[in-house]
């Protein structure tokens, strides 16, 4: 099992945006029958601080149920930061693939999101 730095370091794999969830974690390679197989360690995870200064966060209550990717696009202008929205709003008990129209959605203000994404080195 050979760890690579990131998805984009492997010439055979398509290039993806650096802030995409798939490009945060190292990709591993294993050779079998003369072929390379690529995989992630599914035990890796991102942990955000439980307490974030209120100056950096805001809330929104969507007027309709949305996938996290759509809300990411509405807030940040791209679908790639869905995982940050998900982690900030999931209590860990029940996976939710869509937003709520009842409970406020907490998010990092767009002008501060680069502070988070630039420090995602696992």
């Amino acid at each position: 099992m050979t760890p690579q730095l990131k998805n984009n370091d492997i010439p055979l794999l398509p290039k993806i945006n650096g802030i995409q969830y798939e490009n945060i974690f190292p990709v591993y390679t294993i050779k079998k029958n003369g072929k390379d197989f690529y995989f992630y360690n599914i035990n890796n995870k991102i942990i955000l601080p439980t307490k974030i200064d209120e100056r950096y966060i805001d809330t929104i209550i969507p007027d309709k149920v949305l996938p996290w990717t759509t809300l990411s696009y509405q807030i940040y202008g791209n679908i790639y930061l869905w995982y940050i929205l998900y982690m900030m709003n999931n209590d860990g008990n029940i996976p939710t693939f869509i937003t709520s129209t009842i409970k406020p959605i907490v998010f990092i203000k767009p002008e501060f999101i680069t502070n988070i994404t630039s420090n995602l080195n696992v």
Side-chain angles (χ1 to χ4, degrees), residues 65-113:
V65 173
L66 298 170
W68 292 110
T69 51
T70 301
L71 186 60
S72 174
Y73 185 81
Q74 290 179 354
I75 294 172
Y76 301 117
N78 68 62
I79 64 170
Y80 306 126
L81 297 172
W82 65 269
Y83 58 93
I84 293 176
L85 294 171
Y86 176 81
M87 289 187 305
M88 292 184 73
N89 293 281
N90 185 2
D91 63 9
N93 294 329
I94 301 172
T96 54
F97 301 103
I98 54 176
T99 62
S100 168
T101 57
I102 301 168
K103 182 180 166 188
I105 304 295
V106 179
F107 64 94
I108 297 169
K109 293 177 181 177
E111 59 267 30
F112 300 114
I113 195 66

Side-chain angles (χ1 to χ4, degrees), residues 35-47:
K35 293 182 180 180
D36 288 331
F37 293 90
Y38 302 102
F39 61 96
Y40 297 100
N41 178 349
I42 61 172
N43 292 318
N44 283 337
K45 61 184 172 182
I46 298 169
I47 300 173

